[in-house]
Amino acid sequence: MIFKSSGMSEKDIKNLIIESATKYFSKYGFHKTTMEEVAKHIHKAKGVLYYYFKSKEELFEAVLKQELNTVKTELTKIVNKDSDSIILLKEHTLTRFYFLNKAVNYHETLKADFFEKYHFVKDVRADFADFERNQISFILNKGKTEGYFDIKDIESSVNIYMIIITSLEIPLFLQDKYDEYESTIEELASVMFNSLRNQKNIK
Amino acid sequence: MIFKSSGMSEKDIKNLIIESATKYFSKYGFHKTTMEEVAKHIHKAKGVLYYYFKSKEELFEAVLKQELNTVKTELTKIVNKDSDSIILLKEHTLTRFYFLNKAVNYHETLKADFFEKYHFVKDVRADFADFERNQISFILNKGKTEGYFDIKDIESSVNIYMIIITSLEIPLFLQDKYDEYESTIEELASVMFNSLRNQKNIK
DNA sequence: TATTTGACCATAAAACATATTTAGTCAAAT
DNA sequence: ATTTGACTAAATATGTTTTATGGTCAAATA
C-alpha cells in the first residue's frame, strides 16, 4: 500500500508537471514560459519542479520527448503494417508531416539552427533524426528485397531523403506554410518514392 | 563628344557605385554597410550616392539584381543548349545551386522569411522565382514533348520542384551546408528528374 | 545642365544605467 | 520522500543618454 501510493504519486506528479508544462510551452514557447506559472497551474510551489527536473531545459526536453514519442508511435504503426514498401514510404512521409505539424514544441527547436538559445535540444533532435533514418532505411531495404525499389546505395538514398525532408521543415513549420502546401505534400512524397521506384528503362 | 562623355560618365559612376557597394554589402551585409564607406571607397561624397540611387535599399537592390543576373545568364545558357531535357534539368539544378552559392547578397535576403528587416527585397526575389519557374516550365514542357517526361500536370510539377529547390536554400546557404552537401546535390537533382521520367510500368 | 559637395537634421542604433523578473537553491516543514 | 517559500544571482526588461548613420539640400563645380 505504501509502495503503491508513493510510487503512483511520484509518477502522477511528474506527469502533471509535464502536462502543465506542455500547456504553457505550447502556448508561449520556451523562453516566455515561467517555472512559476507551470507550478501554480498544478497548485504547487515552484521548488517542487526542481525535485523532479534538474532545470527548465530538462523539463522542456521531457515535454519535447513526449511530443515526439507520439509521432514515433504513429510512424512505428505504419512501418509495422505489411503493405507494399511503396505504400509504406508514402504513408510514412505523409504521417510524419501531419503529426509533426502538430508538434509545436518541436517547431520551436528548429530555431536551434539559427539561434544559439536552443542548442540544448540538439540531443533530442538527433535522437529523432536517428529514429527516422532507421525507419526509412528499413522501408527502403524492404522495398529493395521485394523488388519495388531499385537502389544501389541504400544509405545514400536515405541521406537524400533525410535532407529533403528536414529542409522542408523550416518552410512548413517555422514559416507556417503547412496549410498552404498541404495539397502538394502528397505529390511531394510521390516525387520521392517515384524516383526510387524500380525503373527498368534506365541507362 | 558632350553626349558621349556625359553619357559614359553617368553609367561609369553608377557602375562604380554598384561595384563599391557590392564589395561592402558582400563583406559586411546590408545593415553593417554604411553609405559613407561605399562613397569613400570611390573618393566621392556620400550625397552623390543619392543622386544615382533613391535610398540605401535601392542601392542594395541594384547589387542584388546584378548578382542574380549572373545566375540568370548562366542558367539561360543551359536552357538554350539543345541537349536532352533530362540533361538540361539536371544541369540547370546543379548550376543553379553552384552560382547561387556564390551569391552572398542573395543569401542575406533569405532572412526576409524570418526577419522583418529584409522585406524590401521581396520584389527582386519574386522576380527571380518567376524567372526560374518559367525556365523549369520550359524544360518540363520540352521533356514532355520529346517523350522523356511523363507529366500530367506541368504546373503542379513545377510547383513541387520549386518548393523543394527553395526549401533547400536555407540549409545550404543560411546554414552554410553547401560544402557538406555538395557531393549529394547531384544525387538530389537526380531524385527530382528521376521522378519525372517516363515510367512505362506505373499503374 | 548635370554632377558633386559637405554641413545639416531626424532618426535609429549603440551604450549605459536601473529596475524587475525569473531560474535555480536550500533549510525548514510536512 | 515530498513540498514549501524565502532567498540569491543572473537574465531580462525598461528607461536614458550618446553616438552613428541614412537621407536632404542649398551652394559649388564643371
Side-chain angles (χ1 to χ4, degrees):
Chain A
M1 206 123 118
I2 290 161
F3 291 116
K4 203 174 178 181
S5 74
S6 80
M8 284 289 286
S9 99
E10 195 201 314
K11 221 176 179 184
D12 276 336
I13 297 288
K14 205 170 178 181
N15 277 332
L16 272 177
I17 294 171
I18 293 179
E19 212 174 275
S20 171
T22 301
K23 196 183 170 103
Y24 286 97
F25 283 140
S26 302
K27 193 164 184 182
Y28 303 114
F30 177 75
H31 289 101
K32 296 231 167 174
T33 294
T34 72
M35 296 297 264
E36 183 77 40
E37 63 189 340
V38 171
K40 271 220 179 100
H41 187 250
I42 53 170
H43 308 290
K44 299 270 167 174
K46 186 178 58 167
V48 80
L49 301 190
Y50 292 90
Y51 181 77
Y52 295 95
F53 299 93
K54 176 158 113 266
S55 65
K56 188 186 181 185
E57 298 191 350
E58 202 182 278
L59 176 56
F60 185 78
E61 273 188 32
V63 169
L64 183 62
K65 272 182 188 166
Q66 199 178 66
E67 199 177 69
L68 288 177
N69 277 337
T70 308
V71 187
K72 281 185 182 179
T73 305
E74 296 297 331
L75 293 179
T76 303
K77 275 187 205 163
I78 287 170
V79 172
N80 288 337
K81 284 186 186 176
D82 59 350
S83 315
D84 287 352
S85 44
I86 293 179
I87 308 285
L88 247 51
L89 185 57
K90 188 169 184 177
E91 268 195 63
H92 197 277
T93 307
L94 293 180
T95 307
R96 182 208 131 92
F97 281 121
Y98 179 78
F99 282 97
L100 230 40
N101 183 48
K102 297 181 180 177
V104 294
N105 292 298
Y106 178 74
H107 297 178
E108 192 176 4
T109 70
L110 296 177
K111 294 178 187 165
D113 296 328
F114 302 99
F115 306 106
E116 303 211 342
K117 294 182 173 189
Y118 295 91
H119 279 357
F120 69 95
V121 293
K122 69 170 189 294
D123 287 349
V124 188
R125 292 184 67 200
D127 174 79
F128 185 69
D130 282 348
F131 168 86
E132 208 170 354
R133 193 168 234 107
N134 285 333
Q135 290 211 317
I136 299 305
S137 202
F138 174 83
I139 296 179
L140 294 195
N141 266 307
K142 183 176 144 88
K144 191 178 180 178
T145 312
E146 291 170 352
Y148 286 115
F149 294 140
D150 180 30
I151 308 170
K152 307 113 217 168
D153 184 356
I154 294 265
E155 202 185 313
S156 161
S157 294
V158 174
N159 264 342
I160 290 157
Y161 178 89
M162 292 297 291
I163 289 175
I164 295 179
I165 285 293
T166 54
S167 295
L168 283 164
E169 289 181 359
I170 284 153
L172 288 181
F173 305 137
L174 272 190
Q175 296 172 26
D176 290 314
K177 290 185 179 164
Y178 184 81
D179 291 334
E180 186 189 333
Y181 287 178
E182 201 173 21
S183 58
T184 56
I185 287 181
E186 192 166 334
E187 297 179 71
L188 228 149
S190 308
V191 167
M192 243 101 61
F193 73 72
N194 271 342
S195 84
L196 298 171
R197 219 164 191 156
N198 197 346
Q199 293 161 33
K200 285 162 190 154
N201 55 336
I202 282 191
K203 68 144 200 302
Chain B
M1 208 121 114
I2 290 160
F3 289 116
K4 202 175 179 181
S5 72
S6 79
M8 283 289 286
S9 100
E10 196 202 314
K11 220 177 180 185
D12 275 356
I13 296 290
K14 205 171 179 180
N15 277 332
L16 271 178
I17 293 172
I18 293 179
E19 212 174 278
S20 171
T22 301
K23 196 184 172 103
Y24 286 97
F25 283 140
S26 302
K27 192 165 185 182
Y28 302 114
F30 177 75
H31 290 102
K32 296 228 168 177
T33 294
T34 71
M35 294 298 263
E36 184 77 40
E37 63 188 341
V38 171
K40 270 220 181 100
H41 188 250
I42 53 169
H43 308 290
K44 298 270 167 175
K46 187 177 56 168
V48 80
L49 301 189
Y50 291 90
Y51 182 77
Y52 295 94
F53 299 93
K54 179 159 110 266
S55 65
K56 188 185 181 185
E57 298 190 350
E58 201 181 278
L59 175 56
F60 185 78
E61 273 188 33
V63 169
L64 183 61
K65 272 183 188 166
Q66 199 178 66
E67 199 177 69
L68 289 177
N69 277 337
T70 308
V71 186
K72 282 185 182 179
T73 305
E74 296 297 330
L75 293 179
T76 302
K77 275 185 206 164
I78 288 170
V79 172
N80 287 339
K81 283 185 186 175
D82 59 349
S83 316
D84 288 352
S85 43
I86 293 180
I87 308 284
L88 247 51
L89 186 57
K90 189 168 185 178
E91 267 194 64
H92 196 277
T93 307
L94 292 181
T95 307
R96 183 209 130 94
F97 281 122
Y98 179 78
F99 282 97
L100 230 40
N101 183 48
K102 297 181 181 176
V104 296
N105 292 297
Y106 179 75
H107 298 178
E108 192 176 5
T109 69
L110 296 176
K111 294 179 186 164
D113 296 328
F114 302 98
F115 306 107
E116 304 211 341
K117 294 181 172 189
Y118 295 92
H119 279 357
F120 68 94
V121 292
K122 70 171 189 294
D123 287 348
V124 188
R125 292 185 67 200
D127 174 79
F128 186 69
D130 283 348
F131 168 85
E132 207 170 355
R133 191 169 235 106
N134 285 333
Q135 290 211 317
I136 299 304
S137 202
F138 173 84
I139 295 178
L140 295 195
N141 266 308
K142 182 176 144 90
K144 192 177 181 179
T145 312
E146 291 169 352
Y148 286 116
F149 294 141
D150 179 30
I151 307 169
K152 307 112 215 168
D153 184 356
I154 295 264
E155 202 185 313
S156 160
S157 294
V158 175
N159 265 342
I160 290 158
Y161 179 89
M162 291 297 291
I163 289 175
I164 295 180
I165 285 293
T166 54
S167 295
L168 283 165
E169 289 181 358
I170 286 153
L172 288 182
F173 305 138
L174 272 190
Q175 295 172 26
D176 290 314
K177 290 184 180 163
Y178 184 82
D179 292 333
E180 186 189 333
Y181 288 177
E182 201 174 22
S183 58
T184 57
I185 287 181
E186 192 166 332
E187 298 178 71
L188 229 149
S190 307
V191 167
M192 241 101 61
F193 73 72
N194 272 341
S195 82
L196 298 171
R197 221 164 190 157
N198 197 347
Q199 293 161 35
K200 283 161 193 158
N201 54 339
I202 281 191
K203 65 144 201 305

